[in-house]
């Protein structure tokens, strides 16, 4: 029998041969806060560091500003919480001009460590002329002091 032990990061990645956009070369990012130990850069690449975490509790915003409008066909999100039970809500929206935004999805998910700790979503979309993509995260709808986190945000 052939056997390979894979890392945790390998298990988290979406399946298939999707060619994810290199956001570092085509966009800039605005964030509402950032834990220096877990910067946003780590969440915007297919493999590597453990992702982004907010420096403070409460609602957070991750905004991707494209240098040139983009066509998007897939959006992959991975959010994990292994410590604090909470119900999180996120809203993903896009804009052709940075002024008028259109909602793609609004979703709630309950984390119940140690059982349910990962929310993984992959959306197939047909968006053209995307100038800005926003991810707004309410880390706990009950208003606790939970901090938002983002394991991965990949775009194709």
């Amino acid at each position: 029998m052939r056997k390979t032990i894979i890392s945790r990061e390998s298990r988290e990645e979406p399946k298939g041969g999707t060619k994810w956009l290199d956001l570092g070369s085509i966009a800039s990012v605005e964030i509402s806060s950032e834990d220096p130990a877990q910067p946003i850069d780590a969440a915007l690449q297919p493999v590597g560091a453990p992702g982004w975490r907010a420096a403070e509790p409460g609602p957070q915003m991750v905004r991707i500003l494209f240098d040139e409008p983009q066509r998007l066909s897939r959006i992959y999100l991975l959010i994990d919480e292994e410590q604090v039970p909470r119900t999180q809500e996120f809203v993903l929206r896009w804009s052709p001009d940075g002024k008028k935004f259109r909602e793609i999805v609004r979703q709630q998910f309950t984390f119940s460590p140690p059982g349910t700790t990962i929310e993984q979503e992959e959306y197939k979309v047909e968006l053209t002329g995307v100038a800005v993509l926003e991810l707004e995260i309410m880390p706990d709808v009950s208003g606790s002091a939970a901090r938002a986190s983002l394991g991965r945000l990949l775009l194709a």
Side-chain angles (χ1 to χ4, degrees), residues 18-52:
T18 302
K19 176 91 168 104
W20 301 108
L21 296 175
D22 177 6
L23 296 176
S25 66
I26 64 169
S28 59
V29 180
E30 296 177 346
I31 50 176
S32 50
S33 78
E34 177 177 78
D35 180 334
Q38 289 186 263
I40 190 63
D41 317 54
L44 301 178
Q45 49 194 332
V47 294
W52 167 82

